[in-house]
Amino acid sequence: MFDYLEIELSNFQMIVSESIGESESYLMKSDGSVYPLAKGLLTPSPPYYDVELFQLHWQSLHTQGNVMREYIQDDDWLLKYMEQVTKCSLANETNIPPSCIQRSTDSVQNAKLSIYTNYALMAAAAFAKTYKTLYELKCPQQTGVCKDVDDYISNKAKFIEEMAAVEVNPVVEFTELSPFRLKFGFRNGELMYTEMGNYSTYIVNNYQQCDTKFCHVQVADYDGANLTVSTDRIRSYRRNGDEVIGPVAAQCQQPYTCDKCSRTITPTDVLYIPGDYYIVGLVPIHNKKQDDPLQCGELRTADSVDIAESISFAIKRANSQKTTYISAFGEKTVGLVLIDTCNNPFQAREQIIQLHRGELKLSSKLNSSMLVNRIIGYVGPYGSSVSVPVSTLLAEIDELVIAFAASSVVLSDRTLHPTFMRPVSPDNKQADVIMHLAKILGAKYVQILYTDEVYGITGKEALEKSAKIHKVCIAQSLKILDSTASSNSVGYVSELRKFRHARMVIVFVRSHVAPILMTALNKEVDNGEFVFIGGESWGKRPQVLTNNFQIRGSLTIGQDLPRNTAFEDHYREIDLEQTENPWLQEYLEERNECYYPLSFKKKNTHQCSPTVLEAYRPTDTWVPFAINAAHALIIGFNQILEDTCFGSFPNCPEYSTAKLIEKVKAVRLDMYYDGRNVRVFDDNGEGNVAYTIYQIIREGSALSYKRIGTSENGVQFVVSNLDTSFEVDLSSSCQNDVDCGICSRQFNKSGLSDPVNSDNVPAIILGAFVAVLVIVVIALVVVLVKTRRRAASTDALGSGQGDDYHELDLVAHSRSPAQCKGPPKPNYRHVQGEHTVSNVYLTAIPGTPELRGRSVRKPAGEDGENSPGAVNESMVIDEAGTTT
């Protein structure tokens, strides 16, 4: 083998199967020198036992002519072997020549017995003990041949069955097996030790330099369950022959990626933690493949593995703090099956179906059939486009699903999604904050970029509804492909320039699209040409800011919760050798642009040292939401287990998913780490978290997010918080008849203009009556009537315009082009002081408490209890309370 291997590596080490054993003849050339590639060889083999009595017999057989002649007379195999060794014809020899004896003696000089000699003797001992036992049982009074025993010999299956009941004690029965002293037998045809002792099933030898020659040195021991390796005893060798202490590490050379060596992680890989009850996690570890929507693509470097780890952390924490989370569980624990959705609804549904059919592989020896009836609920998926079909599927099988980041308005409908919950606020509230913010900043003329999928489409529709309420005109809405390919984000600036006066651009795209889209826009826009408002999927993600200086001054909003410090500490100190997470190493390498020493992906330039990981290990915005979702589900299940099932599940007839949902809705957690236990969900199973407003500013040589306001109790921010170190115009309005006419039609169609004043109704009726009389009156009267009709019409339109949209003339045709341009362009400097805008969508969520001591009042003109977010006008809600 070594003659034909052509391996050109600076440091190389082989592991060869036990077929070589301790034989050195395979490792040496014909001249006696060692093959360079054989140096440092690692060879597993059964342990060697030196059987002294047989060793003496074997020596005498080779060195004494009379002994050799005696044994070869009745053993043809031994005769042929000795003729090979002596190079003599021995069949008819009565006196073996001395030359033949000499050659035979030379062949065993300093030679060890084969490692298999002892095992052959053990097998012979077991056979002899079995035969003796049968003889004494079947022929107790006989001597010589026993026919009943011969029947067992001819029927090998019967003999092996009898051998399984036999135990051999070498100390008493076969002293020839010295130094082996453990009792043994054969089960199913394999050697089994029947008493505990210090023995090895396998050892590992290392072929290394021993003084002036090479020899085998034991460096590892395997006892049938554990492999103990003495790495300090291992020696490897460089190509130039230099000896190295320790084994050769992974030989994927930096900066290469050794795809053939790296373990291929498939979509069916799961993070599995055994337990008595199970939560199923749904997280997008990979993106879907761009050219094949049914396959998984590249690993996600944000909002993926860190969220998966946070769900695992939440479950382990609950199991370790039973008095807080699972007091009714007794000794039972919560387990986890976390599935990679690949950000793909097809993949997610397929995995869920396999899980409930009992066909999903949890490990090499375990599938999901053993836990299907012990699932208490789902945490995830991540985005709305996956959550909508998953929620529909899980409603069919009556399973609770708590999506930690899905915010589409569609998911608020409990007739369509009866088992769906989420700890985040829905997009209609997000849209209202965005449009209210735009209005405050004087941006009355905007454009929208949205991804062409559920989250983007429903978000765009929510933005359009809110725009009509706040009298913000939408010049156009542009679809963005839901793709991570940078080529799909090019060319949108030319479309935006068709409405260049709509400088404020609202970005409502999925989180994995936001960095790619904004990088593409940054390359094409001019300084100050457009300003952006990003939704929560953009939020505070650092990837969006990298070298994108043209988006300075833009704003974003996000639902932010304080970091869970316990998880942050766990995440920084996590041990890759101990984690069950199959994706974590690759994620940390990709996210931190580093590599681990034993990695097969060394495309990056530096190792993943603790310093590097500490500096580049941020966790995603949604991590606290995922932890809260898992904890709320566990606490709710604990409550129903205690109140309804009295510790018995799944054998609990009174248990139902509807009852579980009610328990989970009532859960209170200290989400803000300020000692206040607040409800995680409102009465519709949705979140209570307000939005934080950020502006992108420059700090030194990089961009960062600066907190400038909040949506608690209405959109609030202080103008002085805005970055004024550069000229950027945050306001925008239509500037010509065509554009202003489009805006006029938007608001006229909306039905949201102020109602026509009742004082004008008689004038309108009179105008209509006079119009009828035109047919029968003289021409002069006709002229008079027409004049009065025009006046009445103008009054009616004027009364519906209101003051909220003073930059636009809703009757564009009655003004000259110069007049239509309106006053000089406003910017952030026209907004003065602290603004608190009364907005029921931003200040209260139905059925949930507000911030401590703050009043929640119904805005003037809001009708009835059916209005979204309406509350009693005199109601004051205090958020003090205890955990239920």
Side-chain angles (χ1 to χ4, degrees):
M1 174 178 71
F2 296 105
D3 283 324
Y4 302 102
L5 284 174
E6 296 181 2
I7 298 176
E8 301 292 335
L9 289 174
S10 59
N11 198 5
F12 177 78
Q13 192 167 33
M14 293 181 68
I15 300 177
V16 181
S17 69
E18 67 176 53
S19 58
I20 287 181
E22 295 189 1
S23 173
E24 297 185 41
S25 60
Y26 301 108
L27 310 180
M28 295 181 176
K29 299 180 180 179
S30 57
D31 60 4
S33 63
V34 177
Y35 285 104
L37 293 180
K39 296 177 180 179
L41 187 74
L42 293 167
T43 308
S45 73
Y48 177 82
Y49 295 101
D50 189 5
V51 186
E52 184 178 355
L53 189 59
F54 183 79
Q55 175 79 15
L56 293 174
H57 166 72
W58 191 247
Q59 289 284 342
S60 64
L61 190 62
H62 285 73
T63 58
Q64 299 177 32
N66 60 332
V67 176
M68 182 187 302
R69 187 173 58 251
E70 178 184 353
Y71 277 88
I72 65 176
Q73 288 178 358
D74 300 318
D75 192 333
D76 289 340
W77 289 347
L78 183 60
L79 171 63
K80 291 180 180 179
Y81 165 76
M82 297 306 299
E83 285 182 337
Q84 277 189 325
V85 169
T86 60
K87 296 182 172 56
C88 299
S89 178
L90 304 176
N92 300 315
E93 289 286 352
T94 55
N95 293 307
I96 300 176
S99 59
C100 299
I101 297 294
Q102 185 60 50
R103 281 191 288 270
S104 175
T105 301
D106 292 342
S107 70
V108 295
Q109 193 73 30
N110 300 322
K112 292 171 62 177
L113 294 174
S114 166
I115 61 173
Y116 300 107
T117 301
N118 182 68
Y119 300 98
L121 291 172
M122 292 171 71
F127 187 93
K129 175 79 179 283
T130 304
Y131 190 91
K132 178 183 178 183
T133 302
L134 284 172
Y135 195 96
E136 292 174 348
L137 178 65
K138 300 294 182 182
C139 312
Q141 305 299 324
Q142 264 185 256
T143 58
V145 176
C146 176
K147 184 178 182 305
D148 291 338
V149 175
D150 285 347
D151 291 341
Y152 279 88
I153 299 297
S154 60
N155 188 334
K156 295 181 177 60
K158 287 180 64 178
F159 193 86
I160 292 174
E161 185 178 343
E162 292 296 328
M163 184 182 287
V166 169
E167 180 183 75
V168 179
N169 185 349
V171 176
V172 177
E173 300 167 323
F174 294 95
T175 56
E176 295 88 348
L177 296 177
S178 173
F180 193 79
R181 290 290 182 264
L182 291 178
K183 296 177 183 179
F184 66 89
F186 283 83
R187 304 289 184 273
N188 298 321
E190 294 185 2
L191 175 68
M192 300 289 291
Y193 300 104
T194 58
E195 66 176 344
M196 300 299 294
N198 184 20
Y199 65 90
S200 301
T201 303
Y202 269 89
I203 61 171
V204 178
N205 290 316
N206 178 219
Y207 196 53
Q208 58 181 250
Q209 185 82 40
C210 302
D211 296 326
T212 59
K213 63 177 183 177
F214 274 74
C215 67
H216 289 286
V217 175
Q218 182 177 335
V219 295
D221 178 273
Y222 181 68
D223 63 6
N226 300 301
L227 178 67
T228 303
V229 181
S230 301
T231 55
D232 58 330
R233 300 188 65 188
I234 297 176
R235 298 293 182 268
S236 56
Y237 294 84
R238 299 190 187 280
R239 188 178 179 185
N240 60 8
D242 291 344
E243 185 176 88
V244 179
I245 297 176
V248 171
Q251 286 302 295
C252 185
Q253 303 293 315
Q254 194 273 334
Y256 299 107
T257 296
C258 305
D259 291 327
K260 290 184 178 180
C261 299
S262 61
R263 186 178 84 86
T264 302
I265 298 180
T266 66
T268 55
D269 282 336
V270 299
L271 194 168
Y272 171 65
I273 300 175
D276 298 286
Y277 311 117
Y278 283 89
I279 286 177
V280 180
L282 300 172
V283 179
I285 305 300
H286 297 82
N287 280 317
K288 65 182 177 182
K289 199 171 184 180
Q290 294 302 318
D291 56 352
D292 186 351
L294 299 180
Q295 299 295 323
C296 294
E298 75 282 359
L299 182 81
R300 290 166 64 97
T301 55
D303 41 81
S304 61
V305 177
D306 52 345
I307 295 177
E309 189 63 31
S310 74
I311 297 173
S312 171
F313 167 82
I315 290 173
K316 291 177 181 177
R317 190 174 182 84
N319 286 330
S320 66
Q321 298 184 3
K322 292 195 172 186
T323 56
T324 303
Y325 297 98
I326 51 178
S327 56
F329 280 35
E331 296 301 316
K332 295 181 178 179
T333 60
V334 180
L336 173 66
V337 176
L338 196 139
I339 297 171
D340 178 9
T341 66
C342 295
N343 208 18
N344 186 336
F346 300 108
Q347 176 70 22
R349 287 172 62 94
E350 176 64 23
Q351 297 284 71
I352 292 170
I353 291 170
Q354 286 189 19
L355 172 68
H356 283 271
R357 284 177 175 168
E359 299 170 355
L360 185 69
K361 289 188 71 65
L362 306 177
S363 66
S364 59
K365 299 180 180 180
L366 189 66
N367 61 29
S368 59
S369 59
M370 45 72 67
L371 57 80
V372 171
N373 65 338
R374 291 185 281 150
I375 294 173
I376 64 177
Y378 282 69
V379 173
Y382 174 75
S384 298
S385 56
V386 179
S387 294
V388 170
V390 164
S391 173
T392 303
L393 173 62
L394 292 178
E396 290 290 326
I397 57 178
D398 198 30
E399 291 283 358
L400 171 59
V401 54
I402 306 178
F404 49 82
S407 54
S408 173
V409 178
V410 172
L411 291 164
S412 296
D413 188 342
R414 291 296 162 262
T415 60
L416 297 176
H417 303 280
T419 63
F420 178 85
M421 297 177 71
R422 54 184 165 191
V424 298
S425 300
D427 284 339
N428 58 317
K429 298 175 184 178
Q430 179 184 184
D432 207 50
V433 172
I434 290 173
M435 286 303 177
H436 218 152
L437 178 61
K439 178 180 177 180
I440 292 173
L441 296 172
K444 300 294 187 70
Y445 191 45
V446 302
Q447 303 185 65
I448 298 174
L449 298 175
Y450 68 97
T451 38
D452 188 19
E453 42 69 53
V454 171
Y455 172 76
I457 293 171
T458 57
K460 189 252 312 183
E461 293 170 351
L463 287 168
E464 290 172 344
K465 290 179 181 179
S466 185
K468 292 174 182 178
I469 294 172
H470 294 291
K471 303 284 180 63
V472 175
C473 179
I474 300 173
Q476 68 170 341
S477 297
L478 296 176
K479 288 190 296 187
I480 308 295
L481 288 176
D482 181 17
S483 168
T484 55
S486 56
S487 59
N488 289 329
S489 294
V490 176
Y492 289 104
V493 171
S494 61
E495 293 298 317
L496 294 175
R497 284 172 177 157
K498 292 179 180 178
F499 297 90
R500 60 177 59 250
H501 295 299
R503 290 185 301 278
M504 183 66 77
V505 180
I506 297 170
V507 180
F508 208 96
V509 299
R510 298 185 72 185
S511 58
H512 59 279
V513 176
I516 299 165
L517 174 64
M518 298 316 298
T519 298
L521 295 177
N522 177 79
K523 293 177 181 178
E524 297 184 49
V525 298
D526 297 329
N527 187 34
E529 183 178 10
F530 294 103
V531 181
F532 303 91
I533 297 182
E536 65 185 3
S537 58
W538 175 346
K540 289 179 62 181
R541 284 179 169 74
Q543 305 96 312
V544 182
L545 301 185
T546 306
N547 298 321
N548 291 337
F549 293 101
Q550 298 288 46
I551 65 175
R552 179 185 178 187
S554 295
L555 297 100
T556 68
I557 70 168
Q559 297 183 64
D560 289 340
L561 287 176
R563 300 288 183 184
N564 185 305
T565 55
F567 173 71
E568 299 294 322
D569 292 342
H570 159 80
Y571 192 61
R572 281 193 298 269
E573 299 168 3
I574 195 166
D575 184 355
L576 289 179
E577 296 295 326
Q578 301 298 323
T579 183
E580 306 93 342
N581 194 323
W583 312 287
L584 186 59
Q585 176 174 319
E586 183 183 0
Y587 174 79
L588 293 176
E589 288 179 326
E590 292 289 333
R591 180 70 181 261
N592 300 303
E593 297 183 349
C594 60
Y595 65 86
Y596 283 90
L598 299 182
S599 174
F600 291 106
K601 295 186 176 182
K602 292 185 176 176
K603 62 181 180 180
N604 298 312
T605 57
H606 56 272
Q607 286 194 29
C608 299
S609 65
T611 303
V612 171
L613 295 176
E614 177 67 24
Y616 298 99
R617 198 184 274 193
T619 55
D620 192 74
T621 301
W622 300 116
V623 161
F625 293 87
I627 292 174
N628 288 342
H631 281 165
L633 177 56
I634 292 170
I635 293 171
F637 179 72
N638 178 73
Q639 195 68 47
I640 199 171
L641 199 64
E642 191 172 56
D643 297 346
T644 306
C645 296
F646 307 105
S648 176
F649 181 84
N651 300 318
C652 177
E654 294 79 14
Y655 177 89
S656 70
T657 300
K659 290 180 180 179
L660 175 61
I661 289 173
E662 292 307 310
K663 295 293 185 183
V664 174
K665 282 182 185 178
V667 169
R668 289 174 177 264
L669 296 174
D670 185 7
M671 298 193 300
Y672 299 96
Y673 304 108
D674 58 1
R676 296 179 302 119
N677 291 312
V678 298
R679 283 184 64 179
V680 182
F681 308 97
D682 66 13
D683 288 345
N684 197 43
E686 301 186 301
N688 287 330
V689 182
Y691 293 89
T692 304
I693 304 168
Y694 301 95
Q695 187 180 29
I696 297 172
I697 64 171
R698 182 163 186 162
E699 290 185 323
S701 60
L703 297 177
S704 65
Y705 295 98
K706 176 185 177 183
R707 186 183 189 277
I708 63 169
T710 179
S711 72
E712 288 185 13
N713 268 355
V715 174
Q716 305 178 43
F717 69 91
V718 180
V719 172
S720 60
N721 286 338
L722 287 168
D723 183 7
T724 59
S725 62
F726 64 102
E727 287 295 325
V728 58
D729 195 349
L730 299 178
S731 66
S732 57
S733 60
C734 67
Q735 299 293 304
N736 57 61
D737 290 350
V738 174
D739 292 348
C740 292
I742 293 173
C743 294
S744 174
R745 288 190 292 275
Q746 281 187 24
F747 297 118
N748 283 344
K749 286 193 301 181
S750 71
L752 293 168
S753 298
D754 292 340
V756 178
N757 192 307
S758 60
D759 292 340
N760 293 327
V761 174
I764 296 173
I765 295 174
L766 180 60
F769 177 72
V770 173
V772 175
L773 295 180
V774 167
I775 301 173
V776 295
V777 298
I778 59 175
L780 183 59
V781 176
V782 171
V783 173
L784 178 60
V785 172
K786 286 184 177 180
T787 302
R788 293 180 64 185
R789 287 176 61 198
R790 185 177 298 111
S793 176
T794 302
D795 287 343
L797 285 171
S799 66
Q801 183 172 333
D803 295 329
D804 281 344
Y805 204 79
H806 60 270
E807 285 89 351
L808 294 182
D809 182 358
L810 299 187
V811 193
H813 65 272
S814 67
R815 304 178 62 190
S816 67
Q819 290 174 316
C820 189
K821 292 181 180 178
K825 294 184 290 184
N827 57 31
Y828 57 80
R829 296 181 180 83
H830 86 282
V831 186
Q832 300 179 358
E834 181 175 347
H835 285 256
T836 302
V837 183
S838 176
N839 188 321
V840 72
Y841 291 100
L842 305 175
T843 58
I845 298 175
T848 60
E850 253 297 331
L851 295 180
R852 185 186 303 275
R854 290 182 177 172
S855 297
V856 181
R857 301 185 183 277
K858 181 172 65 176
E862 186 80 344
D863 292 326
E865 296 179 352
N866 293 329
S867 299
V871 294
N872 186 287
E873 191 160 341
S874 63
M875 183 182 296
V876 177
I877 302 175
D878 193 347
E879 217 167 53
T882 57
T883 303
T884 59

